[in-house]
Every structure is written in structure tokens, then in C-alpha cells.
Amino acid sequence: MHNKGLLVANEIDFKRAKILSQNIERSGICNTLVTNHSPEELLERLPGFFDKVLLDAPCSGEGMFRKDPDAIKYWNPEYNRQCAERQKEILRSTIPLLRDGGTLIYSTCTFSPEEDEQVISWILQNFPQMKLLPIQKFQGVQNGRPDWSDGNSELLKTARIWPHKTKAEGHFIAKLIKAADQEKFESRLSTPTVSLSRNRKNRKKSTVSLEKNELKLLSDFFDQAKIDTDLSTLAKFGDHVYSLPDFCPDLDKIKILRAGLEIGYFRKNIFYPSHALALSSLGEKFYPQLSLDDHQLIDYVHGDVIRIEKSDFKKAGYF
């Protein structure tokens, strides 16, 4: 997405959500909301909001047995059926998150037909507005198996990755589009559109407004750093300032761990830039940078002292 648009990364487990937020920061990603909700809670807040949804469904993990032998310990003859029921519960909340013409990617890391083809058949039977789209398959990726479900030939559009056919673990993928009727379905295929707006007016109810002195500190910082930033995109959570992504929804009653790009924080009328800003593409524009050779990099990662020539510091813009 090249840090454009809006990416909502949701994780129901809070500890995993914290790790997800840290990974987003380390990757220098600026356009992401990291949220901590169940699918049902997310639907209450953002019905029909998304252009695309990727559901990496919790599954029995049979495709990971070779990679993670411990996963075998969780498997039992009833586990596939239990996982399939949980996947259907999640899908009941996930499909309504899509706008008309939106795309759903459903994926698992299991071989189980109960959790793969049979779940897709269940979607097609219970959500008639959902239509399967073909997936371009590279060498070693095979079609889904209609004979392992209800025989619907549409299931050939899904994809199975077999570990003995390609250099990967076991996976299943299906791509579906949501349409209100056949006419709209066909028009979406030929001319996809984005129905969201960039309206920034009513989306900051859960944030604190920036005070005049804080806006002045931020404006001075951006001027000094030679960064052209729209101050209307900034919002404050506690003492921390974030630049909200485009298409950001109303954040009221949404449990957020990361709201776009953290710019920095205030302490005693002083503004401190954040580590996330330094790691982002914005940070590359104004932070002095040093190039290290392989030996210096190894020493640096190891925590050893590295020696840099004074001329290199000057080239990097430190003084």
C-alpha cells in the first residue's frame, strides 16, 4: 500500500496485539490503526466500512506440523469440526464489515476440508451476495477440491498449497467479492471504486485537542525538520501525538494501540520526537544517517563500540 490509504490491523488477544503494534513501528508503517477487538465488537463500530478484509482464520494448523511439531499436540479428531464452527462465527461478523463490491480473502494453514472447501461452501450457501473469484496460481499451487465439499465446481477457484508440491507449508486460500445484486457485482468487477471519503471532521472524539502552545512547538519542529505536514491530521492521546491516516474512522469507543504514525510526545512544554518517527519514511528526510560496512554493523548489533571517522560524521550532517 506504500503507506497510503488506511490499514486496520486487528488482533483479539491483547498481548499479541501489543507485539503487532511493535512490529508495525519497526517496519516504519504510517497508515495503520492497530486495534484490539473481537470480530463482533469491530462490526458494531465499523459496519460496511472496508474495501478489503483479510481473514487469517484460526485453524487446526495441520499445515504447520512439519514446521512446528508441537502443533500436533493440540490436534484431536474433533478439533477440525470445532475450528470450522469458530471460523463460521468469525465470518458472520467479518462479511458485514465489507462494503458492496468489497473483497474477502479467507486463508488457513490447514489441510482439513472441514475448515477449507466446506467453509467456503457454507459462505456461498448462507451469503448469496458473496461470489468466488479465481486466484492466479503459480507452479505447485493447485485448485481446491469440490469433491471434498458439496461438489460445487466454483470451489476450483480456491487454492491449495501442498508442502510436497512447492517450497512452503500447507495453506488454503479463497478470494470472494461481496455484491448486492448481479448487476452491481458485474459493474464492480469492471470498475472497482472506493466509497470512503477523506472527511477529517468527526473522527477525533476519543482524542484530546492540541493546545496552542503544543501546535506552536510542533509547527516549529516541522519547520526545522523541513517536513510539510498537515497539522489537521494530528491528534493527541494522553501526551502522545499521532498523525492519523487518510480515511480514518471515528475513533470513539475503538480500542486502539496505535493510531497511524506516532510523531512524539510532550513533557514540560518540550516536544520530543518519537522512535517511530525516526523509523518511518518521514524520519529518513531529516535524521542524519551513517552508512556502516558489514564488520561495523556486526559490532553495532553485538553492542560493541564502533569507531567512525570524523569526516564520516560531517558527511552524515551531524556537525
Side-chain angles (χ1 to χ4, degrees):
M1 294 174 66
H2 304 288
N3 272 324
K4 299 182 184 299
L6 171 67
L7 174 65
V8 177
N10 183 68
E11 169 57 53
I12 191 171
D13 182 271
F14 182 72
K15 290 183 179 179
R16 288 169 60 92
K18 287 181 66 176
I19 296 171
L20 172 60
S21 180
Q22 293 164 1
N23 288 338
I24 291 293
E25 177 175 312
R26 273 194 290 270
S27 301
I29 299 173
C30 306
N31 66 333
T32 299
L33 300 180
V34 179
T35 59
N36 174 220
H37 283 289
S38 68
E40 294 83 3
E41 291 170 338
L42 208 59
L43 177 59
E44 289 177 4
R45 292 154 177 80
L46 298 172
F49 182 80
F50 294 98
D51 294 294
K52 298 178 182 179
V53 171
L54 166 61
L55 173 58
D56 183 23
C59 66
S60 57
E62 294 172 353
M64 297 289 108
F65 284 178
R66 181 177 65 176
K67 179 181 177 180
D68 182 15
D70 287 341
I72 300 173
K73 299 176 183 178
Y74 299 101
W75 193 93
N76 64 72
E78 281 294 303
Y79 198 32
N80 300 132
R81 184 189 62 77
Q82 293 168 1
C83 289
E85 289 305 312
R86 179 165 57 167
Q87 290 152 6
K88 292 173 185 177
E89 282 299 313
I90 294 172
L91 283 162
R92 287 187 179 96
S93 299
T94 301
I95 291 173
L97 288 171
L98 285 167
R99 67 170 179 86
D100 287 343
T103 303
L104 170 68
I105 303 295
Y106 174 86
S107 70
T108 72
C109 57
T110 186
F111 304 122
S112 163
E114 294 91 341
E115 303 170 63
D116 296 341
E117 286 91 350
Q118 292 177 27
V119 166
I120 302 305
S121 292
W122 175 85
I123 293 176
L124 297 177
Q125 293 166 8
N126 290 273
F127 296 88
Q129 71 272 42
M130 300 301 293
K131 310 291 182 182
L132 270 170
L133 295 178
I135 296 173
Q136 185 176 359
K137 300 174 177 71
F138 54 86
Q139 186 175 5
V141 179
Q142 298 187 333
N143 296 332
R145 298 286 300 267
D147 54 318
W148 289 353
S149 183
D150 58 359
N152 187 346
S153 61
E154 284 289 293
L155 295 172
L156 291 170
K157 295 177 179 177
T158 64
R160 277 187 171 271
I161 300 176
W162 299 100
H164 64 293
K165 297 287 187 180
T166 186
K167 294 181 180 179
E169 306 305 320
H171 293 279
F172 173 86
I173 308 165
K175 181 179 181 181
L176 303 99
I177 190 169
K178 179 182 179 182
D181 52 50
Q182 185 64 25
E183 182 179 349
K184 183 176 289 188
F185 169 62
E186 292 173 352
S187 67
R188 291 293 190 185
L189 284 179
S190 58
T191 56
T193 59
V194 176
S195 60
L196 304 181
S197 69
R198 292 176 180 261
N199 181 16
R200 305 182 188 278
K201 291 183 180 179
N202 300 313
R203 67 181 192 181
K204 301 179 183 177
K205 291 182 180 179
S206 60
T207 64
V208 178
S209 299
L210 289 160
E211 298 176 1
K212 287 185 177 180
N213 64 315
E214 294 172 335
L215 285 170
K216 178 66 166 59
L217 288 171
L218 285 167
S219 180
D220 291 345
F221 169 74
F222 289 131
D223 288 342
Q224 183 181 3
K226 299 179 181 179
I227 295 179
D228 184 17
T229 300
D230 182 1
L231 296 181
S232 69
T233 68
L234 301 183
K236 191 170 70 167
F237 294 78
D239 293 328
H240 292 256
V241 180
Y242 285 82
S243 176
L244 300 178
D246 285 330
F247 311 115
C248 190
D250 182 355
L251 301 180
D252 189 33
K253 297 181 181 179
I254 297 180
K255 292 187 288 186
I256 294 176
L257 283 78
R258 182 168 300 275
L261 174 64
E262 183 183 3
I263 301 296
Y265 58 93
F266 296 104
R267 288 288 187 277
K268 296 181 179 179
N269 206 33
I270 299 175
F271 174 72
Y272 296 91
S274 71
H275 187 232
L277 180 62
L279 294 175
S280 72
S281 57
L282 286 178
E284 295 174 359
K285 296 180 180 179
F286 63 92
Y287 279 91
Q289 298 179 24
L290 283 169
S291 296
L292 305 180
D293 61 33
D294 290 345
H295 296 294
Q296 290 172 322
L297 179 60
I298 291 171
D299 290 341
Y300 173 77
V301 173
H302 192 258
D304 297 335
V305 174
I306 57 174
R307 297 188 179 278
I308 305 294
E309 296 295 329
K310 188 175 181 179
S311 58
D312 291 331
F313 273 101
K314 288 184 177 180
K315 290 179 182 177
Y318 278 95
F319 54 79

Short mmCIF file of all heavy atoms in Angstrom, two decimals, residues 255-307:
data_model
loop_
_atom_site.label_atom_id
_atom_site.label_comp_id
_atom_site.label_asym_id
_atom_site.label_seq_id
_atom_site.Cartn_x
_atom_site.Cartn_y
_atom_site.Cartn_z
N LYS A 255 -10.88 0.43 20.66
CA LYS A 255 -9.68 0.18 21.46
C LYS A 255 -8.46 0.18 20.54
O LYS A 255 -8.28 -0.74 19.75
CB LYS A 255 -9.80 -1.14 22.22
CG LYS A 255 -10.85 -1.13 23.31
CD LYS A 255 -10.81 -2.40 24.15
CE LYS A 255 -11.34 -3.58 23.38
NZ LYS A 255 -11.46 -4.80 24.23
N ILE A 256 -7.65 1.22 20.66
CA ILE A 256 -6.54 1.44 19.73
C ILE A 256 -5.21 1.33 20.46
O ILE A 256 -5.02 1.92 21.53
CB ILE A 256 -6.66 2.82 19.07
CG1 ILE A 256 -7.90 2.86 18.19
CG2 ILE A 256 -5.42 3.14 18.24
CD1 ILE A 256 -8.16 4.20 17.57
N LEU A 257 -4.29 0.57 19.89
CA LEU A 257 -2.93 0.51 20.41
C LEU A 257 -1.99 1.41 19.62
O LEU A 257 -0.95 1.84 20.12
CB LEU A 257 -2.39 -0.92 20.38
CG LEU A 257 -2.90 -1.86 21.47
CD1 LEU A 257 -4.30 -2.36 21.17
CD2 LEU A 257 -1.96 -3.04 21.67
N ARG A 258 -2.32 1.66 18.36
CA ARG A 258 -1.51 2.54 17.51
C ARG A 258 -2.44 3.22 16.52
O ARG A 258 -3.21 2.57 15.82
CB ARG A 258 -0.43 1.75 16.78
CG ARG A 258 0.51 2.59 15.91
CD ARG A 258 1.71 1.80 15.47
NE ARG A 258 2.48 1.34 16.62
CZ ARG A 258 3.40 2.07 17.23
NH1 ARG A 258 3.69 3.28 16.79
NH2 ARG A 258 4.04 1.59 18.28
N ALA A 259 -2.36 4.55 16.45
CA ALA A 259 -3.26 5.33 15.59
C ALA A 259 -2.45 6.03 14.51
O ALA A 259 -2.19 7.22 14.56
CB ALA A 259 -4.05 6.34 16.41
N GLY A 260 -2.02 5.26 13.53
CA GLY A 260 -1.20 5.85 12.48
C GLY A 260 0.24 5.98 12.92
O GLY A 260 0.80 5.07 13.54
N LEU A 261 0.86 7.11 12.64
CA LEU A 261 2.27 7.33 12.95
C LEU A 261 2.41 8.16 14.22
O LEU A 261 1.88 9.28 14.30
CB LEU A 261 2.97 8.05 11.80
CG LEU A 261 4.41 8.47 12.05
CD1 LEU A 261 5.32 7.26 12.27
CD2 LEU A 261 4.94 9.32 10.90
N GLU A 262 3.11 7.61 15.22
CA GLU A 262 3.40 8.40 16.42
C GLU A 262 4.49 9.41 16.08
O GLU A 262 5.60 9.06 15.70
CB GLU A 262 3.87 7.50 17.56
CG GLU A 262 4.10 8.30 18.84
CD GLU A 262 4.62 7.45 19.99
OE1 GLU A 262 4.86 6.24 19.78
OE2 GLU A 262 4.81 8.01 21.09
N ILE A 263 4.16 10.70 16.24
CA ILE A 263 5.10 11.78 15.95
C ILE A 263 6.05 12.02 17.13
O ILE A 263 7.25 12.24 16.96
CB ILE A 263 4.35 13.08 15.61
CG1 ILE A 263 3.43 12.86 14.40
CG2 ILE A 263 5.32 14.22 15.35
CD1 ILE A 263 4.18 12.54 13.13
N GLY A 264 5.49 12.00 18.35
CA GLY A 264 6.31 12.24 19.54
C GLY A 264 5.43 12.49 20.74
O GLY A 264 4.23 12.15 20.73
N TYR A 265 5.99 13.12 21.76
CA TYR A 265 5.23 13.37 22.99
C TYR A 265 5.73 14.66 23.65
O TYR A 265 6.82 15.16 23.37
CB TYR A 265 5.38 12.19 23.96
CG TYR A 265 6.79 11.87 24.35
CD1 TYR A 265 7.37 12.41 25.51
CD2 TYR A 265 7.57 11.00 23.58
CE1 TYR A 265 8.67 12.12 25.87
CE2 TYR A 265 8.87 10.69 23.93
CZ TYR A 265 9.42 11.26 25.08
OH TYR A 265 10.72 10.98 25.43
N PHE A 266 4.87 15.19 24.55
CA PHE A 266 5.18 16.43 25.26
C PHE A 266 5.57 16.12 26.70
O PHE A 266 4.95 15.28 27.36
CB PHE A 266 3.96 17.36 25.26
CG PHE A 266 3.55 17.84 23.91
CD1 PHE A 266 2.44 17.30 23.27
CD2 PHE A 266 4.28 18.82 23.25
CE1 PHE A 266 2.06 17.74 22.02
CE2 PHE A 266 3.90 19.27 21.99
CZ PHE A 266 2.79 18.72 21.38
N ARG A 267 6.60 16.82 27.17
CA ARG A 267 6.99 16.77 28.57
C ARG A 267 7.42 18.17 29.00
O ARG A 267 8.39 18.73 28.49
CB ARG A 267 8.16 15.81 28.80
CG ARG A 267 7.83 14.34 28.69
CD ARG A 267 7.01 13.83 29.86
NE ARG A 267 6.86 12.38 29.79
CZ ARG A 267 5.97 11.74 29.06
NH1 ARG A 267 5.11 12.44 28.32
NH2 ARG A 267 5.91 10.42 29.04
N LYS A 268 6.67 18.77 29.94
CA LYS A 268 7.02 20.08 30.50
C LYS A 268 7.30 21.11 29.41
O LYS A 268 8.36 21.74 29.36
CB LYS A 268 8.23 19.96 31.43
CG LYS A 268 7.97 19.09 32.65
CD LYS A 268 9.18 19.03 33.56
CE LYS A 268 8.89 18.18 34.79
NZ LYS A 268 10.08 18.09 35.70
N ASN A 269 6.32 21.25 28.51
CA ASN A 269 6.38 22.24 27.45
C ASN A 269 7.55 22.04 26.49
O ASN A 269 8.05 22.98 25.88
CB ASN A 269 6.45 23.66 28.03
CG ASN A 269 5.88 24.69 27.05
OD1 ASN A 269 4.95 24.40 26.30
ND2 ASN A 269 6.45 25.88 27.05
N ILE A 270 7.99 20.78 26.37
CA ILE A 270 9.03 20.42 25.40
C ILE A 270 8.48 19.27 24.55
O ILE A 270 7.84 18.35 25.07
CB ILE A 270 10.33 19.99 26.09
CG1 ILE A 270 10.90 21.12 26.94
CG2 ILE A 270 11.37 19.54 25.06
CD1 ILE A 270 12.12 20.73 27.75
N PHE A 271 8.73 19.34 23.25
CA PHE A 271 8.30 18.27 22.35
C PHE A 271 9.48 17.35 22.04
O PHE A 271 10.56 17.80 21.67
CB PHE A 271 7.75 18.82 21.04
CG PHE A 271 7.43 17.75 20.03
CD1 PHE A 271 6.33 16.93 20.22
CD2 PHE A 271 8.24 17.55 18.92
CE1 PHE A 271 6.04 15.92 19.31
CE2 PHE A 271 7.96 16.55 18.00
CZ PHE A 271 6.85 15.74 18.20
N TYR A 272 9.26 16.03 22.22
CA TYR A 272 10.29 15.03 21.95
C TYR A 272 9.84 14.14 20.79
O TYR A 272 8.80 13.49 20.89
CB TYR A 272 10.54 14.15 23.18
CG TYR A 272 11.09 14.89 24.37
CD1 TYR A 272 10.24 15.46 25.32
CD2 TYR A 272 12.47 15.03 24.56
CE1 TYR A 272 10.74 16.14 26.42
CE2 TYR A 272 12.98 15.70 25.66
CZ TYR A 272 12.11 16.25 26.58
OH TYR A 272 12.62 16.93 27.67
N PRO A 273 10.59 14.09 19.68
CA PRO A 273 10.23 13.20 18.58
C PRO A 273 10.29 11.75 19.03
O PRO A 273 11.06 11.38 19.90
CB PRO A 273 11.30 13.49 17.51
CG PRO A 273 11.92 14.78 17.92
CD PRO A 273 11.80 14.87 19.40
N SER A 274 9.46 10.91 18.40
CA SER A 274 9.37 9.51 18.80
C SER A 274 10.32 8.62 17.99
O SER A 274 10.80 9.00 16.91
CB SER A 274 7.94 8.99 18.59
OG SER A 274 7.67 8.87 17.20
N HIS A 275 10.56 7.43 18.52
CA HIS A 275 11.35 6.44 17.81
C HIS A 275 10.63 6.00 16.54
O HIS A 275 11.26 5.75 15.50
CB HIS A 275 11.60 5.23 18.73
CG HIS A 275 12.53 4.21 18.16
ND1 HIS A 275 12.21 2.88 18.07
CD2 HIS A 275 13.77 4.33 17.63
CE1 HIS A 275 13.22 2.22 17.51
NE2 HIS A 275 14.17 3.07 17.24
N ALA A 276 9.29 5.92 16.61
CA ALA A 276 8.51 5.52 15.43
C ALA A 276 8.72 6.50 14.29
O ALA A 276 8.81 6.11 13.12
CB ALA A 276 7.02 5.45 15.80
N LEU A 277 8.81 7.80 14.59
CA LEU A 277 9.04 8.80 13.56
C LEU A 277 10.40 8.60 12.90
O LEU A 277 10.54 8.72 11.68
CB LEU A 277 8.95 10.20 14.17
CG LEU A 277 9.17 11.38 13.21
CD1 LEU A 277 8.13 11.39 12.11
CD2 LEU A 277 9.17 12.69 13.97
N ALA A 278 11.40 8.28 13.71
CA ALA A 278 12.74 8.05 13.17
C ALA A 278 12.76 6.85 12.23
O ALA A 278 13.52 6.83 11.25
CB ALA A 278 13.73 7.84 14.31
N LEU A 279 11.93 5.84 12.51
CA LEU A 279 11.91 4.63 11.68
C LEU A 279 11.06 4.77 10.43
O LEU A 279 11.14 3.95 9.53
CB LEU A 279 11.39 3.45 12.51
CG LEU A 279 12.26 2.99 13.67
CD1 LEU A 279 11.55 1.91 14.48
CD2 LEU A 279 13.60 2.48 13.18
N SER A 280 10.25 5.82 10.37
CA SER A 280 9.33 6.00 9.25
C SER A 280 10.03 6.66 8.07
O SER A 280 11.17 7.13 8.17
CB SER A 280 8.14 6.86 9.68
OG SER A 280 8.55 8.22 9.85
N SER A 281 9.31 6.72 6.95
CA SER A 281 9.86 7.39 5.78
C SER A 281 10.05 8.88 6.02
O SER A 281 10.92 9.51 5.42
CB SER A 281 8.94 7.17 4.56
OG SER A 281 7.62 7.63 4.86
N LEU A 282 9.24 9.47 6.90
CA LEU A 282 9.45 10.87 7.25
C LEU A 282 10.78 11.07 7.96
O LEU A 282 11.49 12.05 7.72
CB LEU A 282 8.31 11.37 8.16
CG LEU A 282 6.96 11.62 7.51
CD1 LEU A 282 5.95 12.05 8.57
CD2 LEU A 282 7.07 12.69 6.44
N GLY A 283 11.11 10.12 8.84
CA GLY A 283 12.37 10.23 9.58
C GLY A 283 13.58 10.23 8.68
O GLY A 283 14.60 10.88 8.97
N GLU A 284 13.49 9.51 7.57
CA GLU A 284 14.62 9.44 6.65
C GLU A 284 14.94 10.80 6.05
O GLU A 284 16.05 11.03 5.57
CB GLU A 284 14.31 8.45 5.53
CG GLU A 284 14.15 7.01 6.01
CD GLU A 284 13.71 6.09 4.90
OE1 GLU A 284 13.51 6.59 3.77
OE2 GLU A 284 13.56 4.88 5.14
N LYS A 285 13.97 11.73 6.07
CA LYS A 285 14.18 13.02 5.42
C LYS A 285 15.04 13.98 6.24
O LYS A 285 15.64 14.90 5.70
CB LYS A 285 12.82 13.68 5.14
CG LYS A 285 11.95 12.89 4.17
CD LYS A 285 10.63 13.59 3.94
CE LYS A 285 9.76 12.81 2.96
NZ LYS A 285 8.45 13.46 2.74
N PHE A 286 15.06 13.78 7.56
CA PHE A 286 15.77 14.79 8.34
C PHE A 286 16.72 14.24 9.39
O PHE A 286 17.50 14.98 9.97
CB PHE A 286 14.77 15.73 9.02
CG PHE A 286 13.86 15.07 10.01
CD1 PHE A 286 14.19 15.00 11.34
CD2 PHE A 286 12.65 14.53 9.59
CE1 PHE A 286 13.33 14.41 12.25
CE2 PHE A 286 11.80 13.94 10.50
CZ PHE A 286 12.14 13.88 11.83
N TYR A 287 16.70 12.96 9.68
CA TYR A 287 17.63 12.41 10.65
C TYR A 287 18.97 12.13 9.97
O TYR A 287 19.01 11.50 8.92
CB TYR A 287 17.10 11.11 11.27
CG TYR A 287 16.12 11.34 12.39
CD1 TYR A 287 14.76 11.42 12.12
CD2 TYR A 287 16.55 11.49 13.70
CE1 TYR A 287 13.85 11.65 13.14
CE2 TYR A 287 15.64 11.72 14.71
CZ TYR A 287 14.29 11.80 14.43
OH TYR A 287 13.40 12.03 15.43
N PRO A 288 20.09 12.60 10.54
CA PRO A 288 21.40 12.25 9.97
C PRO A 288 21.59 10.74 9.96
O PRO A 288 21.16 10.04 10.88
CB PRO A 288 22.39 12.92 10.94
CG PRO A 288 21.61 13.98 11.63
CD PRO A 288 20.20 13.46 11.72
N GLN A 289 22.21 10.24 8.91
CA GLN A 289 22.39 8.80 8.77
C GLN A 289 23.85 8.47 8.49
O GLN A 289 24.53 9.19 7.77
CB GLN A 289 21.52 8.27 7.61
CG GLN A 289 20.04 8.48 7.84
CD GLN A 289 19.22 7.96 6.67
OE1 GLN A 289 19.65 7.09 5.93
NE2 GLN A 289 18.02 8.50 6.51
N LEU A 290 24.28 7.37 9.08
CA LEU A 290 25.63 6.87 8.87
C LEU A 290 25.57 5.52 8.16
O LEU A 290 24.74 4.68 8.52
CB LEU A 290 26.37 6.69 10.20
CG LEU A 290 26.91 7.95 10.88
CD1 LEU A 290 27.36 7.62 12.30
CD2 LEU A 290 28.07 8.54 10.09
N SER A 291 26.40 5.33 7.18
CA SER A 291 26.48 4.05 6.49
C SER A 291 27.57 3.21 7.16
O SER A 291 28.69 3.69 7.37
CB SER A 291 26.81 4.25 5.01
OG SER A 291 25.77 4.95 4.37
N LEU A 292 27.26 1.96 7.50
CA LEU A 292 28.20 1.07 8.14
C LEU A 292 28.57 -0.06 7.19
O LEU A 292 27.72 -0.54 6.43
CB LEU A 292 27.61 0.48 9.42
CG LEU A 292 27.09 1.46 10.48
CD1 LEU A 292 26.54 0.70 11.67
CD2 LEU A 292 28.19 2.41 10.93
N ASP A 293 29.82 -0.48 7.25
CA ASP A 293 30.19 -1.66 6.49
C ASP A 293 29.78 -2.91 7.28
O ASP A 293 29.28 -2.82 8.41
CB ASP A 293 31.69 -1.68 6.15
CG ASP A 293 32.58 -1.68 7.39
OD1 ASP A 293 32.19 -2.28 8.42
OD2 ASP A 293 33.68 -1.10 7.33
N ASP A 294 29.97 -4.08 6.70
CA ASP A 294 29.48 -5.32 7.33
C ASP A 294 30.09 -5.54 8.71
O ASP A 294 29.41 -5.94 9.66
CB ASP A 294 29.78 -6.52 6.42
CG ASP A 294 28.94 -6.51 5.16
OD1 ASP A 294 27.95 -5.76 5.13
OD2 ASP A 294 29.27 -7.24 4.21
N HIS A 295 31.38 -5.29 8.84
CA HIS A 295 32.05 -5.50 10.13
C HIS A 295 31.54 -4.54 11.20
O HIS A 295 31.30 -4.93 12.35
CB HIS A 295 33.56 -5.36 9.97
CG HIS A 295 34.18 -6.39 9.07
ND1 HIS A 295 34.21 -7.73 9.40
CD2 HIS A 295 34.76 -6.28 7.84
CE1 HIS A 295 34.81 -8.41 8.42
NE2 HIS A 295 35.15 -7.55 7.47
N GLN A 296 31.35 -3.28 10.81
CA GLN A 296 30.82 -2.28 11.76
C GLN A 296 29.39 -2.64 12.18
O GLN A 296 29.02 -2.48 13.35
CB GLN A 296 30.85 -0.89 11.13
CG GLN A 296 32.24 -0.31 10.95
CD GLN A 296 32.21 0.97 10.14
OE1 GLN A 296 31.44 1.10 9.19
NE2 GLN A 296 33.05 1.93 10.53
N LEU A 297 28.61 -3.12 11.22
CA LEU A 297 27.23 -3.48 11.52
C LEU A 297 27.16 -4.63 12.52
O LEU A 297 26.37 -4.60 13.47
CB LEU A 297 26.49 -3.86 10.23
CG LEU A 297 25.03 -4.28 10.39
CD1 LEU A 297 24.21 -3.16 11.01
CD2 LEU A 297 24.44 -4.70 9.05
N ILE A 298 28.01 -5.63 12.32
CA ILE A 298 28.06 -6.77 13.25
C ILE A 298 28.44 -6.29 14.65
O ILE A 298 27.83 -6.68 15.66
CB ILE A 298 29.05 -7.84 12.75
CG1 ILE A 298 28.50 -8.50 11.48
CG2 ILE A 298 29.29 -8.90 13.83
CD1 ILE A 298 29.49 -9.41 10.79
N ASP A 299 29.44 -5.41 14.73
CA ASP A 299 29.85 -4.86 16.03
C ASP A 299 28.73 -4.07 16.67
O ASP A 299 28.48 -4.17 17.89
CB ASP A 299 31.09 -3.98 15.85
CG ASP A 299 32.32 -4.78 15.49
OD1 ASP A 299 32.34 -6.00 15.73
OD2 ASP A 299 33.29 -4.17 14.97
N TYR A 300 28.01 -3.28 15.86
CA TYR A 300 26.93 -2.45 16.38
C TYR A 300 25.80 -3.31 16.94
O TYR A 300 25.30 -3.07 18.05
CB TYR A 300 26.41 -1.53 15.27
CG TYR A 300 25.18 -0.73 15.66
CD1 TYR A 300 25.28 0.39 16.49
CD2 TYR A 300 23.91 -1.11 15.20
CE1 TYR A 300 24.16 1.11 16.85
CE2 TYR A 300 22.79 -0.39 15.56
CZ TYR A 300 22.92 0.73 16.38
OH TYR A 300 21.80 1.43 16.75
N VAL A 301 25.38 -4.32 16.16
CA VAL A 301 24.30 -5.20 16.61
C VAL A 301 24.72 -5.97 17.86
O VAL A 301 23.90 -6.24 18.75
CB VAL A 301 23.92 -6.18 15.47
CG1 VAL A 301 22.92 -7.21 15.97
CG2 VAL A 301 23.32 -5.42 14.29
N HIS A 302 26.02 -6.30 17.95
CA HIS A 302 26.53 -7.02 19.12
C HIS A 302 26.64 -6.14 20.35
O HIS A 302 26.81 -6.64 21.47
CB HIS A 302 27.91 -7.63 18.78
CG HIS A 302 28.40 -8.62 19.78
ND1 HIS A 302 29.36 -8.31 20.73
CD2 HIS A 302 28.05 -9.91 20.00
CE1 HIS A 302 29.59 -9.38 21.48
NE2 HIS A 302 28.81 -10.36 21.07
N GLY A 303 26.54 -4.81 20.14
CA GLY A 303 26.63 -3.88 21.26
C GLY A 303 28.04 -3.39 21.54
O GLY A 303 28.29 -2.78 22.59
N ASP A 304 28.95 -3.65 20.62
CA ASP A 304 30.33 -3.20 20.81
C ASP A 304 30.49 -1.75 20.37
O ASP A 304 29.66 -1.20 19.64
CB ASP A 304 31.29 -4.08 19.98
CG ASP A 304 31.26 -5.54 20.43
OD1 ASP A 304 30.92 -5.77 21.61
OD2 ASP A 304 31.56 -6.42 19.61
N VAL A 305 31.59 -1.14 20.82
CA VAL A 305 31.92 0.22 20.40
C VAL A 305 32.43 0.18 18.97
O VAL A 305 33.24 -0.67 18.60
CB VAL A 305 32.99 0.83 21.32
CG1 VAL A 305 33.43 2.20 20.79
CG2 VAL A 305 32.45 0.96 22.74
N ILE A 306 31.91 1.09 18.14
CA ILE A 306 32.42 1.18 16.77
C ILE A 306 33.06 2.55 16.57
O ILE A 306 32.61 3.55 17.13
CB ILE A 306 31.29 0.97 15.72
CG1 ILE A 306 30.15 1.98 15.92
CG2 ILE A 306 30.74 -0.44 15.78
CD1 ILE A 306 29.09 1.89 14.84
N ARG A 307 34.10 2.59 15.81
CA ARG A 307 34.84 3.83 15.57
C ARG A 307 34.45 4.40 14.21
O ARG A 307 34.49 3.71 13.20
CB ARG A 307 36.34 3.58 15.64
CG ARG A 307 36.80 3.12 17.02
CD ARG A 307 38.32 3.06 17.11
NE ARG A 307 38.74 2.65 18.45
CZ ARG A 307 38.83 3.47 19.49
NH1 ARG A 307 38.55 4.77 19.33
NH2 ARG A 307 39.22 3.04 20.67
#
